[in-house]
Amino acid sequence: MKYAKSLEKGAEAAASTVFDREKKRQEEKSSAALADGTENPMTIWRELGDIMTEHVTVTRINKNLEKADAQIRVLQERAKKMNLSDRTRWSNQTLNFARELENMIILARVVTLGALARNESRGAHYKPDFPERDDANWLKTTRAKWVNSEIRLSYEPVDISQITPRPRRYDAAK
């Protein structure tokens, strides 16, 4: 809030064309979602949950993460052909769900691709092929950006000036 208050100009200073362009883009996305399709959004949603639960949880195996990403990409294509039972434009909860499902699919891919790239075990995530933490290569935060309908991962260092990282050990004897 301090940052927003410190700005010399707020959103009202932006040209109205910025808002008009985004409004048009969002209306086009909603119109596309209301077009006739063959896919049930609830089926896609359930399948997405099943994929994530099976392949992208605590134990992460690269070949399974690759399989998950391929399956999620298929869901992403199927989501372009959703059929909504409610075609109204006002207060349409099915439309809202379908639009959010598209975002869920993108975020599922972000999590999957981030896990696939990170060849180490850290925190609550364990890769049997990479059982140790790898601070030399992975003591960093994974960032994702959506650029031209593609996910781009980048990384930024973690500030460890206050707390020195140490391995988690769950063996009570040590």
Side-chain angles (χ1 to χ4, degrees):
M1 195 155 139
K2 286 180 187 177
Y3 172 77
K5 286 182 177 180
S6 73
L7 295 174
E8 288 183 30
K9 297 179 182 179
E12 68 280 352
S16 64
T17 56
V18 172
F19 298 105
D20 294 340
R21 187 171 51 244
E22 183 59 19
K23 180 181 175 189
K24 182 179 182 213
R25 189 176 81 84
Q26 293 300 328
E27 287 171 348
E28 287 170 356
K29 285 184 79 150
S30 289
S31 292
L34 290 169
D36 282 336
T38 56
E39 294 287 346
N40 183 325
M42 290 303 295
T43 301
I44 294 172
W45 174 74
R46 282 190 195 100
E47 289 178 25
L48 179 62
D50 291 344
I51 292 165
M52 296 302 286
T53 301
E54 183 176 351
H55 300 299
V56 196
T57 55
V58 174
T59 302
R60 295 174 170 186
I61 298 167
N62 282 348
K63 68 178 180 171
N64 293 348
L65 294 168
E66 289 168 355
K67 181 179 178 180
D69 185 52
Q71 292 173 330
I72 296 166
R73 282 178 176 263
V74 169
L75 292 182
Q76 203 167 25
E77 287 305 308
R78 287 175 52 199
K80 293 176 183 175
K81 301 176 222 145
M82 285 189 278
N83 183 9
L84 307 185
S85 55
D86 182 353
R87 297 208 188 289
T88 60
R89 291 187 174 269
W90 178 254
S91 192
N92 183 335
Q93 296 305 306
T94 306
L95 175 59
N96 291 343
F97 177 79
R99 294 283 311 270
E100 287 305 317
L101 178 58
E102 292 171 354
N103 296 328
M104 286 183 233
I105 292 169
I106 293 167
L107 289 174
R109 288 204 61 227
V110 166
V111 171
T112 303
L113 294 173
L116 182 59
R118 192 175 278 270
N119 285 327
E120 67 161 356
S121 293
R122 179 177 297 273
H125 300 130
Y126 176 69
K127 278 192 170 180
D129 292 337
F130 304 92
E132 298 299 319
R133 216 169 80 172
D134 181 1
D135 286 351
N137 293 306
W138 291 108
L139 185 57
K140 50 190 163 190
T141 299
T142 304
R143 297 185 53 153
K145 203 174 205 178
W146 184 246
V147 180
N148 297 324
S149 299
E150 282 299 321
I151 297 163
R152 291 198 186 152
L153 298 180
S154 62
Y155 304 92
E156 66 181 35
V158 174
D159 177 6
I160 57 170
S161 64
Q162 301 294 315
I163 300 174
T164 304
R166 58 184 167 76
R168 289 186 186 184
R169 297 287 182 228
Y170 298 102
D171 182 17
K174 290 186 180 180

